[in-house]
Amino acid sequence: MDFSKVLAEAMLKRQAFFAKAKLNNTDCYRVFHGTVEGANGLNIDRYGDAWLVQSFHDTLNEDQLKQITHVLAQHGDYFVVYNDRSQKNSRVANNLVNEAQDYAMSEQVMHENGIAFTTKLRHEGQDPLLFLDMRIGREYMQKHSHNKAVLNLFSYTCGIGTAAAVGGAKRVMNVDFSSFALAAGQKNAALNKVESVCEFVQSDAFPALRQLAGLPVGGRRNQKLPKFPKLAKTTFDLVFLDPPRFAKSVFGVVDLINDYQGLFKPAMLTTKAGGTIVCCNNVAKVERQSWLDSLVRCVEKQGRKIINIEWLDCYQDFPSFDDNHPLKIVALTID
């Protein structure tokens, strides 16, 4: 397949978006979303001074990569890094040459709305340290965090927490199981000089959440529990819940299709009266209204009520079929 035409069309559609991004000091965004724009399984992003080309279904051949590089060069003379992730488990399978390899393996800095974030296009994990479709979530947190205590769950590299701190939060607790991700989060805090308000808790989400909510910590099938950080019961003004689709540990199972409430309930209990919990679900097959209805029922079962509902929709650099984006984000203010 010749990708030149569909990529050029996608770039043309984004011209107004690109101009606005430049004004807002944003140099990281999606330039081609193949599933919707004509090449299923091919995504192309800008990360600072690099174009990141990723194929998830089929390996690009040399001619196809040249076609893509030619179109991209018309929009910016940046490094082109190609990550072939078409193999099992979506791991990067290909080698790069010369400068592109050195660049991809080194830490770089990019910006979103003036906030600096560390990025690395190839590392021990899989993704480049910041999920670009979550931009609307980071903007919401920056806008609504002033003088608030913030809990950022499944924080990954703490982009949400960093945005909240830059927005003037008085306290930000980032919780994630990965020491690698939290180390990147600490760099993000340092880049933006907000280390003084940011905390980094390396923990399974279940024991962390249950302790913060004042609930007992248990395990699956009475398994022996490993050690975990001890946390005091605490409530927060603003809670961000962005779990992975599925994960399993001795403490519990994360399942966004069948049991979102298992995480939502303790997270909601950590949310102060009048506070807001922002919930994310990235599973395409989950219908957004039925998911919202399940959250409302869970709140009401706890004798509380939702006083405001705000959907946060992804930006136009991430187009979707019929405006039904797989990533659903809703902010619930709870009394």
Side-chain angles (χ1 to χ4, degrees):
M1 176 180 178
D2 185 338
F3 294 111
S4 299
K5 183 179 179 181
V6 290
L7 177 55
E9 288 176 351
M11 300 288 273
L12 183 61
K13 288 179 183 177
R14 287 170 169 78
Q15 288 308 300
F17 172 82
F18 293 157
K20 185 176 180 181
K22 186 175 182 179
L23 285 173
N24 292 338
N25 192 9
T26 296
D27 58 15
C28 50
Y29 40 72
R30 178 144 296 180
V31 300
F32 184 70
H33 194 59
T35 300
V36 177
E37 297 184 284
N40 199 25
L42 176 65
N43 292 334
I44 304 174
D45 300 305
R46 181 182 173 189
Y47 279 91
D49 294 327
W51 301 114
L52 176 63
V53 180
Q54 299 194 93
S55 58
F56 292 88
H57 295 169
D58 301 298
T59 301
L60 298 176
N61 61 42
E62 189 173 334
D63 286 341
Q64 290 171 327
L65 195 55
K66 284 181 179 179
Q67 294 162 13
I68 291 169
T69 300
H70 176 72
V71 176
L72 293 175
Q74 299 172 43
H75 295 269
D77 183 19
Y78 308 130
F79 285 99
V80 176
V81 175
Y82 171 45
N83 287 350
D84 178 9
R85 297 176 61 178
S86 61
Q87 305 301 310
K88 188 176 181 181
N89 296 324
S90 190
R91 293 287 177 184
V92 177
N94 62 312
N95 293 319
L96 296 169
V97 295
N98 303 329
E99 292 180 286
Q101 175 74 11
D102 294 337
Y103 185 92
M105 298 295 291
S106 63
E107 290 184 2
Q108 303 294 329
V109 176
M110 58 189 176
H111 300 85
E112 180 184 86
N113 297 315
I115 302 176
F117 293 102
T118 185
T119 183
K120 197 174 183 181
L121 303 185
R122 288 192 172 189
H123 54 83
E124 63 185 60
Q126 292 175 277
D127 295 291
L129 307 186
L130 193 74
F131 291 110
L132 301 184
D133 57 347
M134 189 53 74
R135 185 185 313 114
I136 186 66
R138 290 184 288 270
E139 288 182 356
Y140 179 91
M141 297 297 282
Q142 182 182 2
K143 182 179 178 181
H144 293 88
S145 62
H146 182 70
N147 204 32
K148 292 181 179 178
V150 176
L151 175 61
N152 180 25
L153 298 158
F154 299 96
S155 65
Y156 188 45
T157 58
C158 312
I160 289 291
T162 301
V166 171
K170 63 183 180 182
R171 179 191 185 189
V172 178
M173 179 183 287
N174 299 287
V175 179
D176 199 275
F177 189 71
S178 167
S179 59
F180 171 80
L182 290 177
Q186 290 174 314
K187 291 173 185 174
N188 286 333
L191 283 171
N192 295 282
K193 297 180 173 56
V194 291
E195 308 100 310
S196 62
V197 298
C198 293
E199 304 168 44
F200 303 90
V201 179
Q202 186 184 355
S203 175
D204 186 294
F206 280 104
L209 252 181
R210 294 188 69 83
Q211 290 179 95
L212 292 170
L215 300 172
V217 176
R220 297 170 53 239
R221 301 187 185 90
N222 297 316
Q223 294 184 42
K224 184 178 180 181
L225 301 181
K227 292 182 179 180
F228 54 86
K230 300 301 186 287
L231 301 172
K233 181 180 178 181
T234 313
T235 55
F236 297 84
D237 303 291
L238 192 52
V239 176
F240 200 93
L241 178 61
D242 183 21
R245 177 185 179 125
F246 186 87
K248 185 185 293 185
S249 76
V250 297
F251 294 101
V253 177
V254 176
D255 185 346
L256 301 200
I257 298 175
N258 300 304
D259 189 22
Y260 195 97
Q261 295 85 343
L263 286 167
F264 175 71
K265 177 184 173 181
M268 182 255 296
L269 293 176
T270 69
T271 308
K272 289 181 180 178
T276 298
I277 178 169
V278 183
C279 303
C280 307
N281 192 317
N282 58 23
V283 181
K285 66 186 290 186
V286 173
E287 198 276 323
R288 73 187 232 161
Q289 187 59 49
S290 61
W291 175 58
L292 174 61
D293 291 344
S294 71
L295 302 181
V296 172
R297 288 194 298 271
C298 188
V299 171
E300 291 175 345
K301 283 182 180 179
Q302 298 303 310
R304 301 178 70 176
K305 63 179 180 179
I306 296 173
I307 56 178
N308 189 62
I309 297 172
E310 181 178 352
W311 288 99
L312 309 181
D313 296 321
C314 294
Y315 282 104
Q316 61 266 40
D317 56 327
F318 282 84
S320 59
F321 294 111
D322 300 322
D323 293 323
N324 187 25
H325 200 282
L327 174 59
K328 293 160 284 291
I329 312 173
V330 64
L332 306 175
T333 302
I334 303 173
D335 206 355

